[in-house]
Amino acid sequence: MLSIPNNFLNSTQTPHSGYHWDGSDRRFFEGWYYRVTLPDCGQTFAFMYSIEDPIGGKPYSGGAAQILGPNDEYLWRTFPDVQGFWANKSKLELGHWGKTDLRTPPNLLPPAEFDRHVQEGYQATASLNQGIFHDPAKGYCRWQYEIQPVYGWGDKGEPQQSTAGFLSFLPIFEPGWQILMAHGLASGWIDWNGQRYEFTNAPAYGEKNWGGAFPKKWFWVNCNCFEGEPDLALTAGGGRRGVLWWMESVAMIGVHYQGKFYEFVPWNSQVSWQIQPWGRWQMQATNSEYEVTPTGTTDLPGTPLRAPTANGLIFACKDTMQGEVRLELRSRYSNQSLITAYSSLCGLETGGAPWDTTWFSHYNRGEQSQIRD
């Protein structure tokens, strides 16, 4: 197994990399998202892990793993026993054991030991993603790949940032959202129903969310596999989330390119969006130095995915990993284009409700001006 130096992992570790549950019996979920894109064959694998009400004994207590695989095909498996779940509170390490012959408490295993003793389950860190499970209706997936982080969430070599700003350290905004790794390089293999995909230095990505409340409606645009731009990563999204006793609409755009992080968030930028229920994601943002325009589109139908909700893990969103995206970043000083990029391997998502019309909204720094919400 490749050994990633701890000092390198520490330099890319973001806030909120650790597990957030405080041990109480309040409603709680935490979810993790790992993705690897294989440009040679034009396919993407997205692994989604979640735990709900880990204290156990609650109506929605339990864990699950979902995979969005080749051609947006979908597998999933529940892990009802919360005692099989483990996670590290100080860094990105987690796992869930389903079928195993081990009698020890679940914990991080060397990959060979995991492969030998865990018949269903997963384990994941900042430098590893490994697992196996069977979906009785659709087949199985086994995977093991190593990850070399390139960008966390911030300038390269600088302290990494919280995606939601300093207030995300308090349970004021729920759910919380953190980009764990805007861009990385993955090497290993994935066995999808008997077809083995092997890859070296493939674009990888990771994020997470957590909390005791659930977003009412959201959208997401993400890509780190642009044509001719191997060092470019885009993450954009927005939603309606709880803030104390009210709901607010928020959105952000983050771009990593050539060691620099371009951040467009409500407290430093004007951010606006026009998101169709499905098919087109249009955003614009401007701050004192730059303006950015990502546009995602797809003619594909998308695949329904499960998401944590007030009523447990249910189908609540729709995704494709084969969307198109066009990205432009311009300097306001020189009025020159710094980035003009395209990809046909973009992740696109809409979730929650209602999505009966196009969602328009607009932000001025620190103040929200609703056009239509």
Side-chain angles (χ1 to χ4, degrees):
M1 178 179 174
L2 177 67
S3 177
I4 308 297
N6 285 332
N7 60 348
F8 181 79
L9 292 177
N10 290 340
S11 72
T12 56
Q13 177 167 295
T14 66
H16 303 294
S17 291
Y19 184 39
H20 284 78
W21 184 48
D22 61 6
S24 72
D25 63 355
R26 80 169 184 130
R27 189 80 171 89
F28 179 84
F29 77 94
E30 195 148 350
W32 297 261
Y33 179 97
Y34 283 71
R35 192 187 68 230
V36 59
T37 300
L38 310 181
D40 290 346
C41 62
Q43 299 292 353
T44 293
F45 291 84
F47 301 84
M48 293 152 276
Y49 309 131
S50 59
I51 186 73
E52 289 192 74
D53 294 339
I55 197 168
K58 301 290 185 179
Y60 304 119
S61 290
Q66 306 178 73
I67 307 175
L68 192 59
N71 302 314
D72 289 342
E73 296 173 12
Y74 175 72
L75 299 178
W76 89 297
R77 185 69 170 171
T78 59
F79 298 95
D81 183 6
V82 296
Q83 298 303 314
F85 179 82
W86 66 273
N88 191 317
K89 289 184 175 294
S90 63
K91 58 184 175 180
L92 179 58
E93 292 182 347
L94 67 141
H96 208 146
W97 295 358
K99 296 179 182 178
T100 179
D101 58 9
L102 294 172
R103 297 293 178 260
T104 56
N107 60 93
L108 182 64
L109 297 176
E113 291 293 304
F114 181 94
D115 191 53
R116 184 178 303 116
H117 294 290
V118 180
Q119 290 79 49
E120 282 205 324
Y122 66 86
Q123 60 179 13
T125 72
S127 58
L128 172 70
N129 186 19
Q130 179 181 16
I132 178 173
F133 74 79
H134 298 75
D135 180 330
K138 295 184 178 180
Y140 77 92
C141 186
R142 294 180 61 221
W143 62 99
Q144 181 182 324
Y145 62 87
E146 298 154 359
I147 307 162
Q148 178 180 338
V150 175
Y151 293 116
W153 192 248
D155 288 339
K156 201 165 188 176
E158 297 296 324
Q160 299 302 287
Q161 302 177 27
S162 172
T163 301
F166 72 93
L167 286 175
S168 64
F169 288 92
L170 304 173
I172 294 174
F173 297 132
E174 289 197 306
W177 182 39
Q178 177 69 50
I179 311 306
L180 298 166
M181 184 182 68
H183 181 54
L185 301 173
S187 299
W189 55 267
I190 299 169
D191 177 353
W192 180 270
N193 281 324
Q195 182 169 353
R196 186 178 175 94
Y197 296 82
E198 298 186 358
F199 46 92
T200 302
N201 292 336
Y205 171 82
E207 67 175 49
K208 69 182 298 186
N209 58 3
W210 70 92
F214 304 87
K216 302 299 183 184
K217 179 178 177 179
W218 68 91
F219 61 88
W220 179 78
V221 179
N222 178 264
C223 184
N224 62 336
C225 188
F226 287 89
E227 293 182 1
E229 293 286 2
D231 191 43
L232 173 61
L234 163 71
T235 300
R240 288 181 55 76
R241 64 178 180 179
V243 184
L244 299 178
W245 55 87
W246 72 91
M247 297 296 296
E248 74 163 9
S249 295
V250 292
M252 53 73 61
I253 301 170
V255 175
H256 289 80
Y257 185 61
Q258 296 183 351
K260 183 173 174 59
F261 178 45
Y262 301 87
E263 182 186 39
F264 301 84
V265 288
W267 53 90
N268 71 13
S269 306
Q270 298 174 340
V271 186
S272 61
W273 63 89
Q274 307 86 42
I275 313 297
Q276 294 182 3
W278 186 254
R280 185 175 180 85
W281 293 250
Q282 178 71 60
M283 299 182 71
Q284 307 85 24
T286 303
N287 61 25
S288 60
E289 298 180 77
Y290 307 101
E291 57 185 47
V292 65
T293 307
T295 303
T297 58
T298 186
D299 294 326
L300 298 170
T303 298
L305 297 179
R306 292 169 171 88
T309 73
N311 299 313
L313 195 68
I314 61 175
F315 285 114
C317 59
K318 186 164 63 170
D319 281 57
T320 180
M321 292 294 114
Q322 297 182 321
E324 296 186 55
V325 65
R326 288 174 170 80
L327 173 67
E328 183 176 17
L329 178 73
R330 299 184 67 86
S331 167
R332 298 189 68 192
Y333 294 137
S334 65
N335 198 31
Q336 291 183 336
S337 179
L338 304 178
I339 302 171
T340 302
Y342 168 83
S343 176
S344 59
L345 294 172
C346 179
L348 299 169
E349 177 179 84
T350 57
W355 277 106
D356 48 358
T357 60
T358 299
W359 185 7
F360 295 91
S361 199
H362 182 72
Y363 265 99
N364 289 310
R365 299 176 195 178
E367 296 183 10
Q368 184 180 14
S369 172
Q370 289 291 84
I371 299 173
R372 186 198 305 167
D373 193 4

